[in-house]
Amino acid sequence: MAKALPMKEKLHACDYRFILTCLVLFGAAAWYSTQNFYRAFPEASIDFRVDRDDARSLAERFLAGQHYNLTGYRQASRFDFDDRTKTFIEREAGLEEANGLMGSRLQMWRWDYRWFQPQRKEEFRAAVTVTGEIAGFAHELPEDAARSDATTAEARILAENFLRARMHRDPAGLEFVEVSETAR
């Protein structure tokens, strides 16, 4: 017994209009997406001058310059950005100006590194921008670790000297916001 073949239907005018409408909408969406992609996703235009391994070497060199020995420490890394600052800049300056700022003057994206030993409070952290600049540094100590006392004025002098000598930044170009003191 022979099987009946399905009947082929012809497309009608409304079918062609639907297909044409879909193609026009697809073309418009593709054009709009290509024109506005970098405005909507500034991360896609990050200029990586250093990769993760190069940034780790820079961070390790910086910490060695501070006379810290990382032997025996485990290392973890991640690529990160300051989301709160990014959102604030986008809302205040608008997307186009914010993208221009984030691509040039502001270094929003960075490689974050952490050196630690399990079960120990002491650890080191360093952040390196995609252009290879040190963006941050922390040396966390246990609360009961011995350290010298410093007055607020002495602490500020130490911080300013650190910025000049180690970070190569002039504190005069920074705005001092606040000071707080907690003795433990």
Side-chain angles (χ1 to χ4, degrees), residues 159-183:
E160 288 177 353
N161 288 339
F162 176 82
L163 285 172
R164 274 188 214 92
R166 303 293 184 171
M167 300 297 289
H168 309 291
R169 294 202 172 101
D170 183 12
L174 302 173
E175 180 182 337
F176 185 72
V177 178
E178 69 178 299
V179 65
S180 66
E181 189 174 324
T182 304

mmCIF file with all atom_site columns, all heavy atoms in Angstrom, residues 159-183:
data_model
loop_
_atom_site.group_PDB
_atom_site.id
_atom_site.type_symbol
_atom_site.label_atom_id
_atom_site.label_alt_id
_atom_site.label_comp_id
_atom_site.label_asym_id
_atom_site.label_entity_id
_atom_site.label_seq_id
_atom_site.pdbx_PDB_ins_code
_atom_site.Cartn_x
_atom_site.Cartn_y
_atom_site.Cartn_z
_atom_site.occupancy
_atom_site.B_iso_or_equiv
_atom_site.pdbx_formal_charge
_atom_site.auth_seq_id
_atom_site.auth_comp_id
_atom_site.auth_asym_id
_atom_site.auth_atom_id
_atom_site.pdbx_PDB_model_num
ATOM 1   N N   . ALA A 1 159 ? 51.558 57.329 55.347 1.00 0.00 ? 159 ALA A N   1
ATOM 2   C CA  . ALA A 1 159 ? 50.758 57.041 54.151 1.00 0.00 ? 159 ALA A CA  1
ATOM 3   C C   . ALA A 1 159 ? 51.203 57.901 52.966 1.00 0.00 ? 159 ALA A C   1
ATOM 4   O O   . ALA A 1 159 ? 51.340 57.410 51.839 1.00 0.00 ? 159 ALA A O   1
ATOM 5   C CB  . ALA A 1 159 ? 49.281 57.261 54.442 1.00 0.00 ? 159 ALA A CB  1
ATOM 6   N N   . GLU A 1 160 ? 51.437 59.179 53.208 1.00 0.00 ? 160 GLU A N   1
ATOM 7   C CA  . GLU A 1 160 ? 51.875 60.065 52.121 1.00 0.00 ? 160 GLU A CA  1
ATOM 8   C C   . GLU A 1 160 ? 53.255 59.675 51.609 1.00 0.00 ? 160 GLU A C   1
ATOM 9   O O   . GLU A 1 160 ? 53.498 59.700 50.397 1.00 0.00 ? 160 GLU A O   1
ATOM 10  C CB  . GLU A 1 160 ? 51.847 61.520 52.589 1.00 0.00 ? 160 GLU A CB  1
ATOM 11  C CG  . GLU A 1 160 ? 50.436 62.054 52.747 1.00 0.00 ? 160 GLU A CG  1
ATOM 12  C CD  . GLU A 1 160 ? 50.383 63.484 53.275 1.00 0.00 ? 160 GLU A CD  1
ATOM 13  O OE1 . GLU A 1 160 ? 51.450 64.041 53.655 1.00 0.00 ? 160 GLU A OE1 1
ATOM 14  O OE2 . GLU A 1 160 ? 49.268 64.041 53.312 1.00 0.00 ? 160 GLU A OE2 1
ATOM 15  N N   . ASN A 1 161 ? 54.150 59.303 52.511 1.00 0.00 ? 161 ASN A N   1
ATOM 16  C CA  . ASN A 1 161 ? 55.480 58.856 52.087 1.00 0.00 ? 161 ASN A CA  1
ATOM 17  C C   . ASN A 1 161 ? 55.378 57.564 51.274 1.00 0.00 ? 161 ASN A C   1
ATOM 18  O O   . ASN A 1 161 ? 56.099 57.384 50.291 1.00 0.00 ? 161 ASN A O   1
ATOM 19  C CB  . ASN A 1 161 ? 56.400 58.648 53.296 1.00 0.00 ? 161 ASN A CB  1
ATOM 20  C CG  . ASN A 1 161 ? 56.819 59.962 53.913 1.00 0.00 ? 161 ASN A CG  1
ATOM 21  O OD1 . ASN A 1 161 ? 56.774 61.018 53.276 1.00 0.00 ? 161 ASN A OD1 1
ATOM 22  N ND2 . ASN A 1 161 ? 57.222 59.918 55.168 1.00 0.00 ? 161 ASN A ND2 1
ATOM 23  N N   . PHE A 1 162 ? 54.482 56.665 51.681 1.00 0.00 ? 162 PHE A N   1
ATOM 24  C CA  . PHE A 1 162 ? 54.264 55.431 50.931 1.00 0.00 ? 162 PHE A CA  1
ATOM 25  C C   . PHE A 1 162 ? 53.758 55.748 49.520 1.00 0.00 ? 162 PHE A C   1
ATOM 26  O O   . PHE A 1 162 ? 54.234 55.179 48.536 1.00 0.00 ? 162 PHE A O   1
ATOM 27  C CB  . PHE A 1 162 ? 53.270 54.536 51.668 1.00 0.00 ? 162 PHE A CB  1
ATOM 28  C CG  . PHE A 1 162 ? 52.921 53.283 50.923 1.00 0.00 ? 162 PHE A CG  1
ATOM 29  C CD1 . PHE A 1 162 ? 53.753 52.180 50.983 1.00 0.00 ? 162 PHE A CD1 1
ATOM 30  C CD2 . PHE A 1 162 ? 51.777 53.205 50.150 1.00 0.00 ? 162 PHE A CD2 1
ATOM 31  C CE1 . PHE A 1 162 ? 53.454 51.017 50.288 1.00 0.00 ? 162 PHE A CE1 1
ATOM 32  C CE2 . PHE A 1 162 ? 51.464 52.064 49.451 1.00 0.00 ? 162 PHE A CE2 1
ATOM 33  C CZ  . PHE A 1 162 ? 52.302 50.954 49.523 1.00 0.00 ? 162 PHE A CZ  1
ATOM 34  N N   . LEU A 1 163 ? 52.805 56.662 49.426 1.00 0.00 ? 163 LEU A N   1
ATOM 35  C CA  . LEU A 1 163 ? 52.279 57.033 48.105 1.00 0.00 ? 163 LEU A CA  1
ATOM 36  C C   . LEU A 1 163 ? 53.377 57.595 47.210 1.00 0.00 ? 163 LEU A C   1
ATOM 37  O O   . LEU A 1 163 ? 53.457 57.258 46.027 1.00 0.00 ? 163 LEU A O   1
ATOM 38  C CB  . LEU A 1 163 ? 51.142 58.054 48.250 1.00 0.00 ? 163 LEU A CB  1
ATOM 39  C CG  . LEU A 1 163 ? 49.812 57.504 48.733 1.00 0.00 ? 163 LEU A CG  1
ATOM 40  C CD1 . LEU A 1 163 ? 48.844 58.641 49.030 1.00 0.00 ? 163 LEU A CD1 1
ATOM 41  C CD2 . LEU A 1 163 ? 49.216 56.558 47.697 1.00 0.00 ? 163 LEU A CD2 1
ATOM 42  N N   . ARG A 1 164 ? 54.213 58.464 47.764 1.00 0.00 ? 164 ARG A N   1
ATOM 43  C CA  . ARG A 1 164 ? 55.290 59.067 46.966 1.00 0.00 ? 164 ARG A CA  1
ATOM 44  C C   . ARG A 1 164 ? 56.345 58.029 46.567 1.00 0.00 ? 164 ARG A C   1
ATOM 45  O O   . ARG A 1 164 ? 56.698 57.917 45.398 1.00 0.00 ? 164 ARG A O   1
ATOM 46  C CB  . ARG A 1 164 ? 55.978 60.181 47.759 1.00 0.00 ? 164 ARG A CB  1
ATOM 47  C CG  . ARG A 1 164 ? 55.328 61.509 47.651 1.00 0.00 ? 164 ARG A CG  1
ATOM 48  C CD  . ARG A 1 164 ? 56.184 62.597 48.302 1.00 0.00 ? 164 ARG A CD  1
ATOM 49  N NE  . ARG A 1 164 ? 55.328 63.599 48.887 1.00 0.00 ? 164 ARG A NE  1
ATOM 50  C CZ  . ARG A 1 164 ? 54.899 63.609 50.141 1.00 0.00 ? 164 ARG A CZ  1
ATOM 51  N NH1 . ARG A 1 164 ? 55.272 62.688 50.991 1.00 0.00 ? 164 ARG A NH1 1
ATOM 52  N NH2 . ARG A 1 164 ? 54.094 64.553 50.566 1.00 0.00 ? 164 ARG A NH2 1
ATOM 53  N N   . ALA A 1 165 ? 56.872 57.312 47.556 1.00 0.00 ? 165 ALA A N   1
ATOM 54  C CA  . ALA A 1 165 ? 58.017 56.435 47.322 1.00 0.00 ? 165 ALA A CA  1
ATOM 55  C C   . ALA A 1 165 ? 57.651 55.126 46.632 1.00 0.00 ? 165 ALA A C   1
ATOM 56  O O   . ALA A 1 165 ? 58.354 54.678 45.737 1.00 0.00 ? 165 ALA A O   1
ATOM 57  C CB  . ALA A 1 165 ? 58.720 56.133 48.651 1.00 0.00 ? 165 ALA A CB  1
ATOM 58  N N   . ARG A 1 166 ? 56.567 54.509 47.038 1.00 0.00 ? 166 ARG A N   1
ATOM 59  C CA  . ARG A 1 166 ? 56.257 53.166 46.540 1.00 0.00 ? 166 ARG A CA  1
ATOM 60  C C   . ARG A 1 166 ? 55.229 53.150 45.415 1.00 0.00 ? 166 ARG A C   1
ATOM 61  O O   . ARG A 1 166 ? 55.294 52.320 44.522 1.00 0.00 ? 166 ARG A O   1
ATOM 62  C CB  . ARG A 1 166 ? 55.751 52.283 47.682 1.00 0.00 ? 166 ARG A CB  1
ATOM 63  C CG  . ARG A 1 166 ? 56.680 52.164 48.839 1.00 0.00 ? 166 ARG A CG  1
ATOM 64  C CD  . ARG A 1 166 ? 57.919 51.426 48.460 1.00 0.00 ? 166 ARG A CD  1
ATOM 65  N NE  . ARG A 1 166 ? 58.756 51.254 49.638 1.00 0.00 ? 166 ARG A NE  1
ATOM 66  C CZ  . ARG A 1 166 ? 59.820 50.507 49.657 1.00 0.00 ? 166 ARG A CZ  1
ATOM 67  N NH1 . ARG A 1 166 ? 60.187 49.864 48.592 1.00 0.00 ? 166 ARG A NH1 1
ATOM 68  N NH2 . ARG A 1 166 ? 60.528 50.396 50.745 1.00 0.00 ? 166 ARG A NH2 1
ATOM 69  N N   . MET A 1 167 ? 54.259 54.054 45.495 1.00 0.00 ? 167 MET A N   1
ATOM 70  C CA  . MET A 1 167 ? 53.194 54.057 44.479 1.00 0.00 ? 167 MET A CA  1
ATOM 71  C C   . MET A 1 167 ? 53.451 55.099 43.380 1.00 0.00 ? 167 MET A C   1
ATOM 72  O O   . MET A 1 167 ? 52.721 55.158 42.399 1.00 0.00 ? 167 MET A O   1
ATOM 73  C CB  . MET A 1 167 ? 51.838 54.331 45.138 1.00 0.00 ? 167 MET A CB  1
ATOM 74  C CG  . MET A 1 167 ? 51.426 53.306 46.188 1.00 0.00 ? 167 MET A CG  1
ATOM 75  S SD  . MET A 1 167 ? 51.189 51.656 45.527 1.00 0.00 ? 167 MET A SD  1
ATOM 76  C CE  . MET A 1 167 ? 49.693 51.854 44.593 1.00 0.00 ? 167 MET A CE  1
ATOM 77  N N   . HIS A 1 168 ? 54.448 55.965 43.599 1.00 0.00 ? 168 HIS A N   1
ATOM 78  C CA  . HIS A 1 168 ? 54.807 57.007 42.632 1.00 0.00 ? 168 HIS A CA  1
ATOM 79  C C   . HIS A 1 168 ? 53.631 57.927 42.328 1.00 0.00 ? 168 HIS A C   1
ATOM 80  O O   . HIS A 1 168 ? 53.349 58.253 41.185 1.00 0.00 ? 168 HIS A O   1
ATOM 81  C CB  . HIS A 1 168 ? 55.369 56.391 41.356 1.00 0.00 ? 168 HIS A CB  1
ATOM 82  C CG  . HIS A 1 168 ? 56.457 55.409 41.621 1.00 0.00 ? 168 HIS A CG  1
ATOM 83  N ND1 . HIS A 1 168 ? 57.696 55.760 42.107 1.00 0.00 ? 168 HIS A ND1 1
ATOM 84  C CD2 . HIS A 1 168 ? 56.491 54.049 41.507 1.00 0.00 ? 168 HIS A CD2 1
ATOM 85  C CE1 . HIS A 1 168 ? 58.438 54.688 42.271 1.00 0.00 ? 168 HIS A CE1 1
ATOM 86  N NE2 . HIS A 1 168 ? 57.726 53.630 41.931 1.00 0.00 ? 168 HIS A NE2 1
ATOM 87  N N   . ARG A 1 169 ? 52.934 58.309 43.394 1.00 0.00 ? 169 ARG A N   1
ATOM 88  C CA  . ARG A 1 169 ? 51.785 59.215 43.265 1.00 0.00 ? 169 ARG A CA  1
ATOM 89  C C   . ARG A 1 169 ? 51.988 60.386 44.206 1.00 0.00 ? 169 ARG A C   1
ATOM 90  O O   . ARG A 1 169 ? 52.445 60.226 45.335 1.00 0.00 ? 169 ARG A O   1
ATOM 91  C CB  . ARG A 1 169 ? 50.499 58.473 43.610 1.00 0.00 ? 169 ARG A CB  1
ATOM 92  C CG  . ARG A 1 169 ? 50.199 57.382 42.624 1.00 0.00 ? 169 ARG A CG  1
ATOM 93  C CD  . ARG A 1 169 ? 48.739 57.006 42.626 1.00 0.00 ? 169 ARG A CD  1
ATOM 94  N NE  . ARG A 1 169 ? 48.462 56.093 41.552 1.00 0.00 ? 169 ARG A NE  1
ATOM 95  C CZ  . ARG A 1 169 ? 48.332 54.791 41.689 1.00 0.00 ? 169 ARG A CZ  1
ATOM 96  N NH1 . ARG A 1 169 ? 48.475 54.237 42.858 1.00 0.00 ? 169 ARG A NH1 1
ATOM 97  N NH2 . ARG A 1 169 ? 48.061 54.034 40.649 1.00 0.00 ? 169 ARG A NH2 1
ATOM 98  N N   . ASP A 1 170 ? 51.624 61.560 43.743 1.00 0.00 ? 170 ASP A N   1
ATOM 99  C CA  . ASP A 1 170 ? 51.768 62.765 44.546 1.00 0.00 ? 170 ASP A CA  1
ATOM 100 C C   . ASP A 1 170 ? 50.509 62.969 45.384 1.00 0.00 ? 170 ASP A C   1
ATOM 101 O O   . ASP A 1 170 ? 49.425 63.184 44.826 1.00 0.00 ? 170 ASP A O   1
ATOM 102 C CB  . ASP A 1 170 ? 51.995 63.978 43.640 1.00 0.00 ? 170 ASP A CB  1
ATOM 103 C CG  . ASP A 1 170 ? 52.215 65.256 44.412 1.00 0.00 ? 170 ASP A CG  1
ATOM 104 O OD1 . ASP A 1 170 ? 52.417 65.188 45.650 1.00 0.00 ? 170 ASP A OD1 1
ATOM 105 O OD2 . ASP A 1 170 ? 52.190 66.330 43.786 1.00 0.00 ? 170 ASP A OD2 1
ATOM 106 N N   . PRO A 1 171 ? 50.611 62.906 46.707 1.00 0.00 ? 171 PRO A N   1
ATOM 107 C CA  . PRO A 1 171 ? 49.432 63.093 47.556 1.00 0.00 ? 171 PRO A CA  1
ATOM 108 C C   . PRO A 1 171 ? 48.791 64.466 47.402 1.00 0.00 ? 171 PRO A C   1
ATOM 109 O O   . PRO A 1 171 ? 47.613 64.636 47.689 1.00 0.00 ? 171 PRO A O   1
ATOM 110 C CB  . PRO A 1 171 ? 49.966 62.910 48.979 1.00 0.00 ? 171 PRO A CB  1
ATOM 111 C CG  . PRO A 1 171 ? 51.260 62.223 48.836 1.00 0.00 ? 171 PRO A CG  1
ATOM 112 C CD  . PRO A 1 171 ? 51.795 62.583 47.490 1.00 0.00 ? 171 PRO A CD  1
ATOM 113 N N   . ALA A 1 172 ? 49.556 65.450 46.930 1.00 0.00 ? 172 ALA A N   1
ATOM 114 C CA  . ALA A 1 172 ? 49.001 66.794 46.747 1.00 0.00 ? 172 ALA A CA  1
ATOM 115 C C   . ALA A 1 172 ? 47.882 66.790 45.703 1.00 0.00 ? 172 ALA A C   1
ATOM 116 O O   . ALA A 1 172 ? 46.987 67.634 45.746 1.00 0.00 ? 172 ALA A O   1
ATOM 117 C CB  . ALA A 1 172 ? 50.101 67.773 46.342 1.00 0.00 ? 172 ALA A CB  1
ATOM 118 N N   . GLY A 1 173 ? 47.927 65.841 44.785 1.00 0.00 ? 173 GLY A N   1
ATOM 119 C CA  . GLY A 1 173 ? 46.890 65.748 43.757 1.00 0.00 ? 173 GLY A CA  1
ATOM 120 C C   . GLY A 1 173 ? 45.658 64.987 44.208 1.00 0.00 ? 173 GLY A C   1
ATOM 121 O O   . GLY A 1 173 ? 44.720 64.815 43.441 1.00 0.00 ? 173 GLY A O   1
ATOM 122 N N   . LEU A 1 174 ? 45.655 64.540 45.463 1.00 0.00 ? 174 LEU A N   1
ATOM 123 C CA  . LEU A 1 174 ? 44.524 63.794 46.001 1.00 0.00 ? 174 LEU A CA  1
ATOM 124 C C   . LEU A 1 174 ? 43.755 64.652 46.985 1.00 0.00 ? 174 LEU A C   1
ATOM 125 O O   . LEU A 1 174 ? 44.303 65.546 47.617 1.00 0.00 ? 174 LEU A O   1
ATOM 126 C CB  . LEU A 1 174 ? 45.019 62.525 46.712 1.00 0.00 ? 174 LEU A CB  1
ATOM 127 C CG  . LEU A 1 174 ? 45.825 61.554 45.856 1.00 0.00 ? 174 LEU A CG  1
ATOM 128 C CD1 . LEU A 1 174 ? 46.391 60.439 46.720 1.00 0.00 ? 174 LEU A CD1 1
ATOM 129 C CD2 . LEU A 1 174 ? 44.982 60.983 44.738 1.00 0.00 ? 174 LEU A CD2 1
ATOM 130 N N   . GLU A 1 175 ? 42.492 64.362 47.114 1.00 0.00 ? 175 GLU A N   1
ATOM 131 C CA  . GLU A 1 175 ? 41.657 65.089 48.067 1.00 0.00 ? 175 GLU A CA  1
ATOM 132 C C   . GLU A 1 175 ? 41.516 64.248 49.331 1.00 0.00 ? 175 GLU A C   1
ATOM 133 O O   . GLU A 1 175 ? 41.039 63.112 49.289 1.00 0.00 ? 175 GLU A O   1
ATOM 134 C CB  . GLU A 1 175 ? 40.275 65.350 47.459 1.00 0.00 ? 175 GLU A CB  1
ATOM 135 C CG  . GLU A 1 175 ? 39.356 66.107 48.385 1.00 0.00 ? 175 GLU A CG  1
ATOM 136 C CD  . GLU A 1 175 ? 37.974 66.306 47.788 1.00 0.00 ? 175 GLU A CD  1
ATOM 137 O OE1 . GLU A 1 175 ? 37.838 66.253 46.550 1.00 0.00 ? 175 GLU A OE1 1
ATOM 138 O OE2 . GLU A 1 175 ? 37.032 66.501 48.565 1.00 0.00 ? 175 GLU A OE2 1
ATOM 139 N N   . PHE A 1 176 ? 41.954 64.804 50.450 1.00 0.00 ? 176 PHE A N   1
ATOM 140 C CA  . PHE A 1 176 ? 41.841 64.119 51.727 1.00 0.00 ? 176 PHE A CA  1
ATOM 141 C C   . PHE A 1 176 ? 40.389 64.199 52.170 1.00 0.00 ? 176 PHE A C   1
ATOM 142 O O   . PHE A 1 176 ? 39.830 65.283 52.305 1.00 0.00 ? 176 PHE A O   1
ATOM 143 C CB  . PHE A 1 176 ? 42.769 64.763 52.764 1.00 0.00 ? 176 PHE A CB  1
ATOM 144 C CG  . PHE A 1 176 ? 42.784 64.036 54.066 1.00 0.00 ? 176 PHE A CG  1
ATOM 145 C CD1 . PHE A 1 176 ? 43.412 62.811 54.185 1.00 0.00 ? 176 PHE A CD1 1
ATOM 146 C CD2 . PHE A 1 176 ? 42.162 64.562 55.181 1.00 0.00 ? 176 PHE A CD2 1
ATOM 147 C CE1 . PHE A 1 176 ? 43.429 62.127 55.387 1.00 0.00 ? 176 PHE A CE1 1
ATOM 148 C CE2 . PHE A 1 176 ? 42.175 63.889 56.386 1.00 0.00 ? 176 PHE A CE2 1
ATOM 149 C CZ  . PHE A 1 176 ? 42.813 62.670 56.478 1.00 0.00 ? 176 PHE A CZ  1
ATOM 150 N N   . VAL A 1 177 ? 39.762 63.068 52.425 1.00 0.00 ? 177 VAL A N   1
ATOM 151 C CA  . VAL A 1 177 ? 38.327 63.033 52.705 1.00 0.00 ? 177 VAL A CA  1
ATOM 152 C C   . VAL A 1 177 ? 38.055 62.975 54.200 1.00 0.00 ? 177 VAL A C   1
ATOM 153 O O   . VAL A 1 177 ? 37.318 63.802 54.729 1.00 0.00 ? 177 VAL A O   1
ATOM 154 C CB  . VAL A 1 177 ? 37.657 61.839 51.985 1.00 0.00 ? 177 VAL A CB  1
ATOM 155 C CG1 . VAL A 1 177 ? 36.182 61.773 52.326 1.00 0.00 ? 177 VAL A CG1 1
ATOM 156 C CG2 . VAL A 1 177 ? 37.846 61.956 50.491 1.00 0.00 ? 177 VAL A CG2 1
ATOM 157 N N   . GLU A 1 178 ? 38.615 62.019 54.893 1.00 0.00 ? 178 GLU A N   1
ATOM 158 C CA  . GLU A 1 178 ? 38.299 61.895 56.321 1.00 0.00 ? 178 GLU A CA  1
ATOM 159 C C   . GLU A 1 178 ? 39.349 61.062 57.030 1.00 0.00 ? 178 GLU A C   1
ATOM 160 O O   . GLU A 1 178 ? 40.158 60.375 56.404 1.00 0.00 ? 178 GLU A O   1
ATOM 161 C CB  . GLU A 1 178 ? 36.929 61.258 56.538 1.00 0.00 ? 178 GLU A CB  1
ATOM 162 C CG  . GLU A 1 178 ? 36.869 59.791 56.146 1.00 0.00 ? 178 GLU A CG  1
ATOM 163 C CD  . GLU A 1 178 ? 35.514 59.170 56.408 1.00 0.00 ? 178 GLU A CD  1
ATOM 164 O OE1 . GLU A 1 178 ? 35.082 59.140 57.570 1.00 0.00 ? 178 GLU A OE1 1
ATOM 165 O OE2 . GLU A 1 178 ? 34.893 58.720 55.436 1.00 0.00 ? 178 GLU A OE2 1
ATOM 166 N N   . VAL A 1 179 ? 39.325 61.129 58.331 1.00 0.00 ? 179 VAL A N   1
ATOM 167 C CA  . VAL A 1 179 ? 40.193 60.335 59.172 1.00 0.00 ? 179 VAL A CA  1
ATOM 168 C C   . VAL A 1 179 ? 39.353 59.719 60.275 1.00 0.00 ? 179 VAL A C   1
ATOM 169 O O   . VAL A 1 179 ? 38.400 60.329 60.758 1.00 0.00 ? 179 VAL A O   1
ATOM 170 C CB  . VAL A 1 179 ? 41.368 61.173 59.743 1.00 0.00 ? 179 VAL A CB  1
ATOM 171 C CG1 . VAL A 1 179 ? 40.857 62.249 60.664 1.00 0.00 ? 179 VAL A CG1 1
ATOM 172 C CG2 . VAL A 1 179 ? 42.355 60.291 60.463 1.00 0.00 ? 179 VAL A CG2 1
ATOM 173 N N   . SER A 1 180 ? 39.666 58.494 60.614 1.00 0.00 ? 180 SER A N   1
ATOM 174 C CA  . SER A 1 180 ? 39.009 57.858 61.763 1.00 0.00 ? 180 SER A CA  1
ATOM 175 C C   . SER A 1 180 ? 40.053 57.041 62.497 1.00 0.00 ? 180 SER A C   1
ATOM 176 O O   . SER A 1 180 ? 41.016 56.560 61.894 1.00 0.00 ? 180 SER A O   1
ATOM 177 C CB  . SER A 1 180 ? 37.837 56.981 61.321 1.00 0.00 ? 180 SER A CB  1
ATOM 178 O OG  . SER A 1 180 ? 38.308 55.903 60.569 1.00 0.00 ? 180 SER A OG  1
ATOM 179 N N   . GLU A 1 181 ? 39.859 56.902 63.761 1.00 0.00 ? 181 GLU A N   1
ATOM 180 C CA  . GLU A 1 181 ? 40.837 56.200 64.578 1.00 0.00 ? 181 GLU A CA  1
ATOM 181 C C   . GLU A 1 181 ? 40.106 55.199 65.471 1.00 0.00 ? 181 GLU A C   1
ATOM 182 O O   . GLU A 1 181 ? 39.123 55.532 66.101 1.00 0.00 ? 181 GLU A O   1
ATOM 183 C CB  . GLU A 1 181 ? 41.581 57.222 65.439 1.00 0.00 ? 181 GLU A CB  1
ATOM 184 C CG  . GLU A 1 181 ? 42.751 56.663 66.171 1.00 0.00 ? 181 GLU A CG  1
ATOM 185 C CD  . GLU A 1 181 ? 43.533 57.759 66.884 1.00 0.00 ? 181 GLU A CD  1
ATOM 186 O OE1 . GLU A 1 181 ? 43.637 58.877 66.350 1.00 0.00 ? 181 GLU A OE1 1
ATOM 187 O OE2 . GLU A 1 181 ? 44.021 57.474 67.987 1.00 0.00 ? 181 GLU A OE2 1
ATOM 188 N N   . THR A 1 182 ? 40.611 53.970 65.468 1.00 0.00 ? 182 THR A N   1
ATOM 189 C CA  . THR A 1 182 ? 40.045 52.928 66.307 1.00 0.00 ? 182 THR A CA  1
ATOM 190 C C   . THR A 1 182 ? 41.194 52.204 67.003 1.00 0.00 ? 182 THR A C   1
ATOM 191 O O   . THR A 1 182 ? 42.064 51.644 66.340 1.00 0.00 ? 182 THR A O   1
ATOM 192 C CB  . THR A 1 182 ? 39.249 51.910 65.475 1.00 0.00 ? 182 THR A CB  1
ATOM 193 O OG1 . THR A 1 182 ? 38.258 52.609 64.733 1.00 0.00 ? 182 THR A OG1 1
ATOM 194 C CG2 . THR A 1 182 ? 38.598 50.875 66.370 1.00 0.00 ? 182 THR A CG2 1
ATOM 195 N N   . ALA A 1 183 ? 41.205 52.252 68.313 1.00 0.00 ? 183 ALA A N   1
ATOM 196 C CA  . ALA A 1 183 ? 42.241 51.556 69.081 1.00 0.00 ? 183 ALA A CA  1
ATOM 197 C C   . ALA A 1 183 ? 41.673 50.221 69.543 1.00 0.00 ? 183 ALA A C   1
ATOM 198 O O   . ALA A 1 183 ? 40.561 50.163 70.074 1.00 0.00 ? 183 ALA A O   1
ATOM 199 C CB  . ALA A 1 183 ? 42.666 52.399 70.269 1.00 0.00 ? 183 ALA A CB  1
#
